[in-house]
Amino acid sequence: MFDTAFDQNNESISTLSFDEFRKIIVNDYRTALESRYVSLLGRKEVLTGKAKFGIFGDGKELAQIAMAKVFRNGDWRSGYYRDQTFIFASGISDVYRFFLNYMHIQMLKLIHPLPVDK
């Protein structure tokens, strides 16, 4: 098994202990699990009629975590509606901030109800 990482010039970067490797794997699993749970919560909101529309990122967790690990400053990406796992894994956002926009809209509806079309 390989215990040394190499850069693009095939030079040794560092070695990784088993405990460090385990922490990385557990953290990645936690990120994937949280993202899947966020998708399930969002789908529940749609199916119960609290939200009008939703497309979520479940099923794409592993690929997005891998992309977040190799993504560097200066790399270009276009926001994609299913990239929630990527934004969690790369630290761009977290679960709280992900739902913050939705919560803000719900609070505004309580303060200033929108007129109902008849």
Side-chain angles (χ1 to χ4, degrees):
M1 182 174 169
F2 298 104
D3 62 352
T4 304
F6 296 95
D7 65 6
Q8 292 178 346
N9 298 326
N10 209 18
E11 296 177 13
S12 175
I13 297 174
S14 66
T15 58
L16 197 64
S17 72
F18 177 75
D19 288 335
E20 292 169 329
F21 178 72
R22 183 176 52 159
K23 286 178 186 177
I24 291 169
I25 296 300
V26 169
N27 187 46
D28 290 347
Y29 180 75
R30 181 178 292 117
T31 301
L33 193 63
E34 286 177 353
S35 181
R36 179 63 62 102
Y37 191 67
V38 165
S39 294
L40 294 175
L41 284 174
R43 186 168 289 110
K44 180 181 172 186
E45 294 292 304
V46 172
L47 293 175
T48 58
K50 294 179 183 175
K52 302 291 182 200
F53 179 75
I55 299 176
F56 303 99
D58 48 347
K60 321 285 187 282
E61 293 91 359
L62 186 59
Q64 291 184 8
I65 288 172
M67 185 174 85
K69 291 194 174 296
V70 297
F71 208 77
R72 299 291 178 249
N73 286 338
D75 289 347
W76 183 85
R77 80 171 185 83
S78 176
Y80 182 59
Y81 59 91
R82 290 187 172 174
D83 65 354
Q84 69 193 34
T85 306
F86 176 77
I87 66 172
F88 296 157
S90 62
I92 294 172
S93 187
D94 57 14
V95 175
Y96 175 77
R97 287 183 179 89
F98 186 77
F99 281 110
L100 191 60
N101 188 35
Y102 173 74
M103 292 182 334
H104 178 70
I105 291 169
Q106 294 304 314
M107 292 301 292
L108 285 176
K109 286 180 180 179
L110 289 174
I111 296 169
H112 300 288
L114 298 174
V116 177
D117 294 334
K118 292 185 179 185

